Amino acid sequence: MINANLAKKFVERIAKYTDYNINIMNDQGIIIASRNPERIGSFHETAYNMIRFNLEISSVSNGDALLGVQNGVNLLVRYGKQPIAVVGVTGDPEKVREIAMIIKMSLETMVRYESQQELEFSKITAHNRFFSLLFLEESPSPEQLKQLAEKLEFSTEKIRIPIMLYFAPECRLEQEMAGIQSYATGEDMIWTVDHRHILVYKDLEQRAAPALASWHNQTAEWLQRIETSVAYERAYVGTMQYNLCDYHLGLAACRWLEKNLSVGERVLYFMEHLDEYLFSLLPATEMHGIFNVYDHALEEESKQSLLKMAGSLQKNDFNLVKSSEELFLHKNTLVFRLNKLRAALGINPFQSTNDKLLMTCLYHYLKGKQ
């Protein structure tokens, strides 16, 4: 995420050399800096979609049709691999495209410079430099990663899994870090990400059992062991990684869990929410094109019934007994309601894989509209 003060300072500097209106939006689509102060704090729909779908550029000529958007060119701003903001220049897209590209490159250069200054000021250690290479820099050298890993006495041929621990504001991370390290092996990689998070890349090859079959049990057991010494509020378990150059993908999975599924279980596993992640990548227009008639034709009571039953069935692997218990319904009552829904939709998710997929997709479409 881009710092709002940095964005404001950048717009003030650029405004001295151009009359174009410039806006900078954060990763939530909120305008955090603008030549027009009245727009600060407004939601920018195009910027939000660009961040969500990783779109490099968006030219807008029908701004009135979009929330908080005016005509112009919007460009994705990155720090290394990670999208951190969107910069927009208001005006005729053909006329402002070139100046927008120059402004984007200037902003990225300024962000890199400020970040480098911060790193130098804090006299980063090899351990923090390793973190920077793994998660912040674009296309780091595999050889440099290997050299740093070996310097820190980490094997580069291990399967590890990222666990991002979230702590309440009152927690002292130095104390929590000491607790985590007391349960860590020599091959576990641990960093303080910010004032609320600690990231552990847990080694999965300390046992004879293959990592693919045992990762869930190993992770759950380790989290249970550290509970007596570590007061984490939530744990987000990402995707297993082998190649150091791919470690940023595992952290991205943890961050997706925190952003999209922060309510519910204390420990969330990315691999248990693959359907929600994959559906989140689908453009809303695609889902609308497929399911808008279902939304129109079904009565509100039927839609609410589908959301409750389909959500529970997915969570319980379509087990009727477990779902009826979770919904506080008699099994026969659940079956009766499902039969009504099956008749209304003309599907049978218990006999057809395609019908099961249809119900799952419809569930996610309706859930996304709530």
Side-chain angles (χ1 to χ4, degrees):
M1 179 184 292
I2 191 168
N3 180 278
N5 290 329
L6 175 65
K8 181 181 178 182
K9 183 166 62 175
F10 177 81
V11 170
E12 289 173 351
R13 290 180 181 177
I14 291 292
K16 295 177 182 178
Y17 305 103
T18 180
D19 293 328
Y20 286 113
N21 182 46
I22 301 158
N23 303 301
I24 298 176
M25 287 68 72
N26 65 13
D27 61 350
Q28 300 298 312
I30 304 300
I31 299 176
I32 57 172
S34 175
R35 191 165 184 173
N36 179 3
E38 293 181 358
R39 298 196 68 191
I40 295 176
S42 301
F43 177 72
H44 194 286
E45 185 176 356
T46 294
Y48 176 78
N49 288 329
M50 289 177 70
I51 291 281
R52 184 182 178 195
F53 298 114
N54 206 24
L55 303 177
E56 294 293 338
I57 184 170
S58 177
S59 297
V60 179
S61 55
N62 62 334
D64 291 341
L66 300 167
L67 182 61
V69 180
Q70 297 180 0
N71 293 350
V73 172
N74 300 281
L75 297 165
L76 196 64
V77 178
R78 296 181 183 275
Y79 178 60
K81 302 181 184 74
Q82 187 175 352
I84 59 170
V86 172
V87 61
V89 179
T90 306
D92 182 338
E94 293 302 318
K95 294 181 179 179
V96 302
R97 185 186 302 272
E98 195 169 303
I99 186 68
M101 293 293 295
I102 294 171
I103 291 172
K104 164 198 156 75
M105 289 187 289
S106 300
L107 179 56
E108 289 180 334
T109 300
M110 184 173 179
V111 169
R112 283 196 300 271
Y113 175 77
E114 293 288 339
S115 297
Q116 288 168 1
Q117 290 294 98
E118 288 179 10
L119 291 176
E120 290 175 10
F121 180 77
S122 62
K123 299 179 180 179
I124 60 169
T125 62
H127 192 265
N128 288 337
R129 175 61 180 154
F130 191 40
F131 178 89
S132 178
L133 277 176
L134 285 170
F135 304 113
L136 300 178
E137 296 198 11
E138 187 174 6
S139 303
S141 162
E143 187 59 35
Q144 192 175 9
L145 282 173
K146 184 178 180 182
Q147 289 175 358
L148 264 177
E150 291 174 349
K151 181 178 180 180
L152 294 166
E153 299 183 340
F154 290 130
S155 171
T156 59
E157 298 181 353
K158 289 277 190 179
I159 296 176
R160 296 182 177 89
I161 191 164
I163 306 169
M164 187 171 74
L165 300 172
Y166 170 82
F167 296 88
E170 60 270 16
C171 288
R172 294 178 55 195
L173 285 201
E174 299 86 354
Q175 182 177 330
E176 304 298 342
M177 176 66 84
I180 292 170
Q181 289 173 334
S182 68
Y183 288 91
T185 71
E187 289 292 349
D188 293 340
M189 300 176 177
I190 310 171
W191 298 274
T192 299
V193 179
D194 53 39
H195 65 288
R196 295 273 186 91
H197 299 86
I198 291 176
L199 175 66
V200 180
Y201 248 98
K202 189 87 185 76
D203 174 29
L204 293 175
E205 298 191 348
Q206 294 295 317
R207 300 183 182 180
L212 296 183
S214 66
W215 70 267
H216 193 288
N217 286 342
Q218 286 195 55
T219 304
E221 289 172 8
W222 185 77
L223 285 170
Q224 190 172 10
R225 284 202 307 274
I226 70 172
E227 280 186 348
T228 56
S229 303
V230 182
Y232 69 90
E233 199 163 290
R234 289 189 180 278
Y236 304 97
V237 183
T239 51
M240 289 181 287
Q241 300 298 332
Y242 176 77
N243 189 325
L244 292 176
C245 292
D246 293 331
Y247 271 36
H248 68 282
L249 300 174
L251 176 56
C254 295
R255 285 175 166 158
W256 181 88
L257 284 172
E258 181 176 42
K259 182 177 180 180
N260 295 278
L261 302 168
S262 57
V263 177
E265 300 93 338
R266 186 185 184 196
V267 180
L268 289 167
Y269 297 89
F270 183 85
M271 296 301 287
E272 293 180 355
H273 296 277
L274 275 177
D275 60 335
E276 288 149 294
Y277 171 71
L278 294 173
F279 280 112
S280 75
L281 300 180
L282 287 173
T285 52
E286 293 289 337
M287 295 290 278
H288 177 78
I290 299 169
F291 293 111
N292 71 88
V293 171
Y294 287 84
D295 185 29
H296 170 75
L298 286 172
E299 295 180 357
E300 187 61 30
E301 183 180 351
S302 296
K303 287 187 282 190
Q304 292 303 318
S305 178
L306 184 147
L307 283 167
K308 290 179 182 178
M309 290 189 294
S312 181
L313 286 168
Q314 286 182 69
K315 182 179 178 181
N316 295 294
D317 296 323
F318 277 74
N319 184 298
L320 289 172
V321 174
K322 291 182 179 179
S323 294
S324 62
E325 290 175 354
E326 182 179 345
L327 295 170
F328 300 103
L329 295 173
H330 190 279
K331 179 184 173 184
N332 291 341
T333 303
L334 178 60
V335 170
F336 174 76
R337 293 182 183 179
L338 278 170
N339 285 337
K340 284 181 63 178
L341 193 61
R342 284 160 50 184
L345 297 175
I347 63 172
N348 190 338
F350 294 92
Q351 293 184 358
S352 167
T353 302
N354 190 69
D355 287 355
K356 183 183 289 187
L357 177 60
L358 190 152
M359 176 180 273
T360 301
C361 293
L362 180 56
Y363 163 77
H364 283 287
Y365 172 71
L366 294 174
K367 184 181 177 184
K369 293 199 67 180
Q370 285 188 320

